Amino acid sequence: MSGWQGEPHYSDEFKADAVALYESTPGATYKGIAADLGVNRATLRAWVLQERERRGVTATVAKPAARPRKALPSADPDERVRQLEARVAELEASERKLATERDILRKAAKYFAGGDELVTSRFQFVDDHRATFGVKRLCQVLDVNRSSYYKWRTGAEARAARQCEDLVLAQEIRKVHNESGGAYGSPRVTAELREKGHPVNEKRVARVMRTFSITGIRLRRRVRTTLPDPAATPVDDLFQRDFTAPEPGRKYMGDITYLPLAEGKFLYLATVLDCFSRKIVGWSIADHMRTGLVADALRMAAGTRGGLHGSVFHSDRGAQYVSRAYAELCDQLGVTRSMGAVGTSADNAACESFHASLKRETLQRDPDYGDADTCRRTVFAWLTRYNTRRRHSANGHLSPNAYERRHHAARLTLAA
């Protein structure tokens, strides 16, 4: 495909956003920001110095101080074991106390109701009161089999060990969860842990996340951004809801979404996604939804891929995508247009899902982004990190860039 020839071209908008992200991030380094953006460290540094020179600012200008890090756990293994054992002891004591209080208050109604959890509570009640009432008497009253109780008691050490292991795993999970901005659920956390050398399964990760209240983020309301043009020239649906592709650069899809600001204002984001890897190859942010918004996103995609000739681009039938100017741009770039039905979000479901993830993970529980500059920096940082680091379920929990690298490596192997 011609779309894979040549070096990536970075638009002026991308460069300006990259510089703004670096200079607004406390404690940022060229290496760290460049890794998120997927660019060379020297390239980012050159952009920053050029912008500072343009503004007449010296290269040694100070950035905001980094936030103080939280105290790390002791590096001494013995001390960490003692800390974990102390925490496990606290949890066990709390569990015994709560079980006893609950069982005393509810034993008439609940001790004879059955169920594994209640049986375990009865065992705990017997264990906590055996010195006072005796095991035999307690088991008779609570209808508990004595042999089952003793078997349960024998497993106390193993349960304590599992609790200790869960506590250690919870610390690793929380670290991954925090690095994702609080966005990752159990599938992506599991993939990240496995890559770091932790042989865990998703069910256990999900259980520990529930136990320690490590949760994801939920989506909010939606604003309509598709405004159909009844006078538009008909364009066929070449996708038919098939959002897959055999290789990069063949099929693209795009859409517009709103970005809420304070005081009821909005910015708008247009994106271009590659169907093969779900990589964002082009985007543009503006305070309007005119054709220029989607045109700038497509031009960025052409620069990123080194050309789009021979590819298919799918969108909804919004006025921006059916305009004469956009059709002429597609013709210039050698792009064949495809469009879904009017008012049917399922015909562009992959873009809808992507935009939902973006806002869920950047807004989290906030109602808006605040001011326009903060919004642009936040979304720009997420978009670039999405390509370089965020794991995607459609890619086997690899980032879009990693998924494409694996594809190219496999092709080279076959060619050899």
Side-chain angles (χ1 to χ4, degrees):
M1 294 289 297
S2 61
W4 282 92
Q5 298 175 357
E7 294 295 325
H9 170 74
Y10 300 103
S11 65
D12 292 339
E13 181 181 4
F14 184 96
K15 294 177 183 178
D17 287 336
V19 172
L21 176 63
Y22 171 78
E23 295 197 327
S24 65
T25 303
T29 63
Y30 288 120
K31 181 178 180 181
I33 297 297
D36 281 347
L37 300 179
V39 302
N40 184 274
R41 174 190 177 279
T43 300
L44 174 62
R45 183 174 182 272
W47 293 346
V48 172
L49 295 181
Q50 288 172 4
E51 175 60 20
R52 288 178 177 175
E53 182 178 356
R54 186 187 68 79
R55 299 199 313 260
V57 180
T58 61
T60 57
V61 63
K63 298 193 301 295
R67 295 180 179 177
R69 296 184 177 180
K70 295 181 179 179
L72 297 174
S74 172
D76 182 2
D78 293 336
E79 178 61 25
R80 292 195 65 185
V81 170
R82 285 193 291 271
Q83 292 174 354
L84 292 173
E85 289 177 341
R87 178 57 179 155
V88 169
E90 292 176 6
L91 291 172
E92 288 183 321
S94 176
E95 182 183 66
R96 286 194 297 270
K97 180 180 178 182
L98 292 174
T100 300
E101 291 177 353
R102 179 188 60 191
D103 295 340
I104 290 174
L105 294 173
R106 300 180 180 178
K107 64 181 180 180
K110 301 201 70 173
Y111 272 113
F112 303 96
D116 293 340
E117 183 178 350
L118 293 171
V119 170
T120 301
S121 300
R122 294 173 189 179
F123 288 160
Q124 188 67 61
F125 184 82
V126 171
D127 203 50
D128 291 345
H129 295 81
R130 59 192 175 91
T132 304
F133 301 105
V135 173
K136 181 178 180 180
R137 178 59 177 163
L138 286 169
C139 288
Q140 288 176 342
V141 172
L142 300 178
D143 194 25
V144 172
N145 187 288
R146 273 193 292 169
S147 63
S148 298
Y149 160 71
Y150 285 120
K151 183 178 180 180
W152 174 86
R153 191 178 178 204
T154 302
E157 185 176 346
R159 287 195 302 277
R162 285 196 299 271
Q163 287 180 328
C164 185
E165 292 170 356
D166 284 352
L167 184 59
V168 173
L169 178 58
Q171 292 175 339
E172 295 296 327
I173 290 173
R174 198 175 296 279
K175 180 179 179 182
V176 171
H177 190 255
N178 290 339
E179 287 175 351
S180 74
Y184 279 7
S186 58
R188 290 189 177 92
V189 169
T190 302
E192 189 76 23
L193 289 174
R194 286 175 178 171
E195 186 169 292
K196 292 182 177 180
H198 299 284
V200 294
N201 62 63
E202 184 183 337
K203 288 184 178 180
R204 185 184 177 200
V205 171
R207 175 179 59 80
V208 172
M209 290 181 71
R210 286 194 303 269
T211 300
F212 290 85
S213 300
I214 305 174
T215 59
I217 311 159
R218 301 190 182 279
L219 193 59
R220 59 201 343 97
R221 67 187 176 92
R222 183 174 181 271
V223 171
R224 187 185 185 199
T225 53
T226 301
L227 303 175
D229 183 353
T233 302
V235 176
D236 293 335
D237 183 353
L238 304 180
F239 272 34
Q240 295 298 318
R241 301 187 183 180
D242 178 8
F243 305 115
T244 62
E247 62 182 11
R250 290 282 191 89
K251 295 168 64 178
Y252 297 98
M253 49 191 168
D255 199 3
I256 302 173
T257 191
Y258 75 100
L259 303 172
L261 306 179
E263 300 179 354
K265 298 180 181 179
F266 296 95
L267 288 181
Y268 299 93
L269 168 69
T271 50
V272 179
L273 286 77
D274 191 303
C275 292
F276 174 77
S277 62
R278 299 298 195 268
K279 178 173 181 175
I280 306 300
V281 295
W283 71 82
S284 183
I285 302 174
D287 59 359
H288 62 80
M289 290 196 299
R290 296 189 292 272
T291 300
L293 176 68
V294 295
D296 287 344
L298 193 64
R299 291 191 186 98
M300 179 180 175
T304 300
R305 288 307 201 196
L308 300 176
H309 185 77
S311 63
V312 178
F313 176 80
H314 183 82
S315 69
D316 59 29
R317 296 183 181 273
Q320 305 87 350
Y321 291 109
V322 300
S323 67
R324 181 187 299 274
Y326 193 75
E328 291 175 351
L329 176 62
C330 288
D331 290 341
Q332 292 171 10
L333 297 175
V335 175
T336 300
R337 291 187 297 159
S338 169
M339 292 185 181
V342 176
T344 305
S345 60
D347 286 350
N348 209 19
C351 277
E352 297 274 351
S353 175
F354 168 78
H355 289 153
S357 296
L358 182 153
K359 283 186 277 191
R360 180 173 62 247
E361 296 180 16
T362 55
L363 280 173
Q364 300 191 9
R365 294 173 178 83
D366 295 329
D368 57 64
Y369 293 98
D371 61 85
D373 289 340
T374 300
C375 175
R376 176 179 286 275
R377 286 195 302 268
T378 301
V379 173
F380 174 78
W382 190 91
L383 288 171
T384 52
R385 186 179 176 85
Y386 169 91
N387 283 338
T388 58
R389 298 191 178 187
R390 185 184 183 278
R391 298 179 182 276
H392 201 297
S393 58
N395 297 342
H397 293 299
L398 292 176
S399 70
N401 281 1
Y403 191 66
E404 291 191 358
R405 284 196 299 269
R406 188 176 72 173
H407 171 76
H408 292 311
R411 291 190 61 182
L412 291 175
T413 300
L414 289 175

